[in-house]
Amino acid sequence: MTFTTRPTLRGTFGMVSSTHWLASQAAMGMLERGGNAFDAAVTAGFVLHVVEPHLNGPGGEVPAIVATAEDPTPKVLCGQGPAPAGATIAHFRSLGMDLIPGAGPLAAAVPGAVDAWLLLLREHGTLTLAEVLEPAIDYAEVGHPLVGRVVDTVTAVRSLFEEHWPTSAQLWLRDGRPPTAGERFANPAYARTLRRLVQAGQAAGSDREAQIEAARRAWGTGFVADEVDRFSRRPFQDSSGRSHAGLVTGDDLAAYSATWEEPVTLDWHGYSVAKTSFWGQGPVLLETLSVLDALDDPGAYDPATAAGIHAQVEALKLAFADREAWYGDGADVPAKALLSREYARERAALIGDRASWELRPGRPDGAQPRLPAQVRSGAVRNADRSDATTGEPTVQSDGVTRGDTCHVDVVDRWGNMISATPSGGWLQSSPTIPELGFPLGTRLQMFWLEEGLASSLAPGRRPRTTLSPTMVHRDGQPVLACGTPGGDQQDQWQVPFLLRHLVGGQTLQEAIDAPAFHTAGLPESFYPRDMEPGVLVVEDRLDEATVAALRAYGHEVRFSDAWSLGRLCAVSRDPATGVLAAGANPRGMQGYACGR
């Protein structure tokens, strides 16, 4: 019997897996009340704003993939806000910038998470707004024990808060010091914000949907939009070392609404794997799986061997090179060609017995790829940073973060399923708006300040996000929802998980617990857009013989701590029996699954 850090949970009533135990249990509570998977996911989403504020917030974003019992066809819920109307390349260039800052109000996209969660609740939930927000309001008002990572994050940016972001200092440096791990911490301002949303809904009458719509209006055109508009006009220091006002206005919030979209899917080994479209990095996972198939080598599917790791990493490098050249909102993406079998065979032919140290985008349909000038020149290589390998966010003293996020998966007894990856609006990303109790995000840093690229900055365009939930169907029915935090590593850690579970037959928890790895040989999506050719990061519990073989392939192997890469969550359902399952990542010691 294989040892796992936790059991793979099994039952028939409902399953939740998220990156924080309080969010998982609060979501499970909604299922116990009679709510469905979508009520539970919304509850988890708002609780995560409170208990993992260093990883997500109301000022951030959330993409999700949804399948309902009535219509199991996967749909994408896009809660990724666009660039505000004033966010032009010319504006940033006029400030002397060639990269969008990684921290500060100037890098904020229009907040998308709250509107998306409320849209999901209206369209597919069953409980009232007051019911699903109750746990988040309680944790924000009464307090909750802080995880150590929040404390570490606040400590890392203490001087920034003290010297330049006084509104964040007021919230996070009470009594002139950071909070301590395990300390009961409340955010009364955010509790008041949530209560006002509930009150706005209740003022609209007793109809559940009318209440939710009223709350959406209070967010997008009411008191929240007013406070965001007012605060954005104040200059604060950002990671450029200078002070600038933000660009998000009340009009930007009023113009935004979360949307439903079709996913991009790949038929693979009897399954259909669904991802968000090419405005995000999700199709990287599909392209990688397609290339692995084109190798026509069963050994390429095994993440426990050097040959399998090598094949998977090289396929990922090729897919990420295509991401850099072709993916972007509003771009002319050759989507069909990128995921075709012919193109996969063409790309697979580039994988040999030596690790590539080059960025090699392809030519789908014969088109010429275009890469950013910084990437072509190699202007940023091996930038100094405190930790290049951890699955948690790396935060420098100036507030720059390499980014991380949260995840939640839910499946219920009726067969409703959701995979959601909330992120952005980190406590360290931008100054706290004191009247609201949260900061805006910094997702604009994923744009390039160069015309003519697939991911060039333009008002109204969505940043090419790294947020990448996954849903898997078999015979038209949803059977698996999964995802992980990790920025550019999200799909890298999901590929071996899917191979272990769907091909290798491992249980959810076995596949989650297995040693993780990823390549750093791709341009990062986060400021300062670093790239480390040839670097392969592995957890140091990988055995010596495998490491030696990887080095023989030409990889520059870098060790991470034994339990440090990824924070995978997963739930599954067997349509034939109705048996549900769940697993959660032990890394970071805060993710948990629950269910019965």
Side-chain angles (χ1 to χ4, degrees):
M1 181 177 179
T2 301
F3 172 81
T4 57
T5 58
R6 291 101 178 262
T8 294
L9 305 183
R10 291 183 174 85
T12 57
F13 180 79
M15 291 285 164
V16 181
S17 180
S18 88
T19 48
H20 196 292
W21 66 89
L22 291 179
S24 295
Q25 187 55 54
M28 192 67 201
M30 293 300 126
L31 295 179
E32 297 287 1
R33 283 191 185 189
N36 65 19
F38 311 118
D39 298 309
V42 174
T43 295
F46 280 95
V47 170
L48 287 169
H49 291 165
V50 179
V51 301
E52 288 194 320
H54 60 314
L55 302 178
N56 82 137
E61 46 274 327
V62 58
I65 305 179
V66 168
T68 69
E70 293 76 18
D71 181 7
T73 306
K75 292 290 189 296
V76 170
L77 173 64
C78 178
Q80 174 57 68
T88 65
I89 291 176
H91 177 75
F92 284 91
R93 292 293 190 183
S94 73
L95 300 176
M97 296 180 177
D98 55 11
L99 287 175
I100 295 173
L106 194 58
V110 179
V114 168
D115 191 70
W117 286 126
L118 296 181
L119 177 62
L120 175 66
L121 183 66
R122 188 197 76 184
E123 299 261 326
H124 295 303
T126 63
L127 301 179
T128 66
L129 181 66
E131 287 175 307
V132 299
L133 291 188
E134 179 185 338
I137 292 172
D138 183 70
Y139 286 129
E141 193 169 62
V142 179
H144 61 95
L146 278 180
V147 295
R149 296 288 188 175
V150 175
V151 176
D152 294 343
T153 300
V154 174
T155 301
V157 292
R158 176 176 182 172
S159 61
L160 175 68
F161 286 6
E162 290 174 332
E163 297 171 18
H164 301 289
W165 294 3
T167 59
S168 295
Q170 290 166 12
L171 176 61
W172 293 104
L173 300 176
R174 297 168 187 170
D175 302 320
R177 62 164 181 84
T180 57
E183 176 181 332
R184 189 165 177 168
F185 186 88
N187 185 344
Y190 186 47
R192 287 193 296 272
T193 296
L194 294 180
R195 284 196 180 280
R196 290 184 69 179
L197 293 179
V198 171
Q199 291 163 0
Q202 292 172 338
S206 60
D207 181 76
R208 192 187 75 91
E209 293 186 10
Q211 289 183 352
I212 296 168
E213 278 303 295
R216 293 179 76 192
R217 290 193 298 272
W219 178 272
T221 61
F223 76 97
V224 174
D226 291 343
E227 294 297 345
V228 169
D229 186 278
R230 185 178 301 113
F231 194 76
S232 286
R233 301 176 192 275
R234 295 177 55 181
F236 289 91
Q237 181 171 297
D238 54 43
S239 48
S240 71
R242 293 170 286 142
S243 294
H244 300 99
L247 298 172
V248 177
T249 67
D251 289 342
D252 290 315
L253 267 77
Y256 174 75
S257 179
T259 54
W260 293 102
E261 302 180 1
E262 295 301 314
V264 176
T265 61
L266 177 73
D267 292 331
W268 183 79
H269 289 246
Y271 298 96
S272 176
V273 185
K275 301 292 287 185
T276 63
S277 191
F278 290 87
W279 51 265
Q281 78 173 22
V284 160
L285 183 142
L286 306 182
E287 188 175 342
T288 301
L289 294 178
S290 186
V291 170
L292 288 175
D293 271 0
L295 289 173
D296 196 25
D297 176 8
Y301 301 138
D302 190 352
T305 67
I309 294 172
H310 171 72
Q312 292 157 39
V313 166
E314 294 305 298
L316 282 161
K317 289 177 185 176
L318 294 170
F320 274 102
D322 281 337
R323 180 195 74 167
E324 204 58 52
W326 300 109
Y327 292 20
D329 185 30
D332 186 16
V333 181
K336 185 176 180 179
L338 283 169
L339 297 180
S340 69
R341 292 184 178 180
E342 294 76 17
Y343 186 68
R345 287 193 291 269
E346 178 184 322
R347 301 295 273 162
L350 298 176
I351 298 177
D353 58 4
R354 295 294 296 172
S356 172
W357 285 46
E358 300 177 8
L359 193 70
R360 300 181 289 176
R363 295 169 56 97
D365 289 335
Q368 182 65 38
R370 182 172 179 186
L371 296 173
Q374 174 174 302
V375 174
R376 296 197 308 271
S377 67
V380 178
R381 304 283 177 170
N382 298 300
D384 183 25
R385 55 195 180 190
S386 57
D387 184 358
T389 60
T390 179
E392 297 294 325
T394 299
V395 184
Q396 299 165 196
S397 60
D398 59 1
V400 173
T401 177
R402 294 182 57 239
D404 212 341
T405 179
C406 308
H407 190 80
V408 58
D409 299 309
V410 189
V411 61
D412 64 27
R413 55 188 165 174
W414 301 289
N416 298 301
M417 186 179 287
I418 180 171
S419 174
T421 310
S423 185
W426 307 299
L427 73 86
Q428 68 276 11
S429 65
S430 190
T432 299
I433 304 172
E435 294 80 7
L436 301 177
F438 62 83
L440 297 180
T442 56
R443 194 62 62 175
L444 291 192
Q445 67 183 291
M446 296 183 167
F447 284 113
W448 290 101
L449 298 178
E450 181 180 342
E451 298 285 1
L453 302 176
S455 54
S456 297
L457 174 66
R461 294 185 77 178
R462 290 170 290 187
R464 190 202 65 204
T465 180
T466 55
L467 307 178
S468 196
T470 301
M471 187 170 288
V472 179
H473 281 57
R474 185 178 65 232
D475 299 327
Q477 296 294 316
V479 295
L480 175 69
C482 64
T484 176
D488 295 300
Q489 284 74 53
Q490 288 184 29
D491 289 296
Q492 297 200 59
W493 294 328
Q494 289 185 74
V495 164
F497 166 78
L498 292 173
L499 292 173
R500 288 176 175 123
H501 179 59
L502 298 180
V503 178
Q506 293 185 3
T507 67
L508 296 181
Q509 198 61 47
E510 287 174 331
I512 289 170
D513 283 354
F517 54 86
H518 67 263
T519 175
L522 54 97
E524 290 185 346
S525 297
F526 296 93
Y527 178 93
R529 315 303 292 267
D530 192 13
M531 177 177 171
E532 297 183 282
V535 171
L536 172 60
V537 182
V538 302
E539 290 182 327
D540 68 6
R541 54 199 172 101
L542 207 63
D543 65 86
E544 292 183 6
T546 301
V547 171
L550 289 169
R551 285 177 169 147
Y553 277 118
H555 298 280
E556 182 182 319
V557 177
R558 177 183 296 162
F559 290 107
S560 178
D561 290 341
W563 295 90
S564 60
L565 300 181
R567 290 168 67 214
L568 274 155
C569 301
V571 300
S572 67
R573 180 177 185 269
D574 183 346
T577 64
V579 172
L580 314 177
N585 175 62
R587 300 164 180 86
M589 298 183 292
Q590 63 192 65
Y592 239 84
C594 56
R596 67 175 179 88

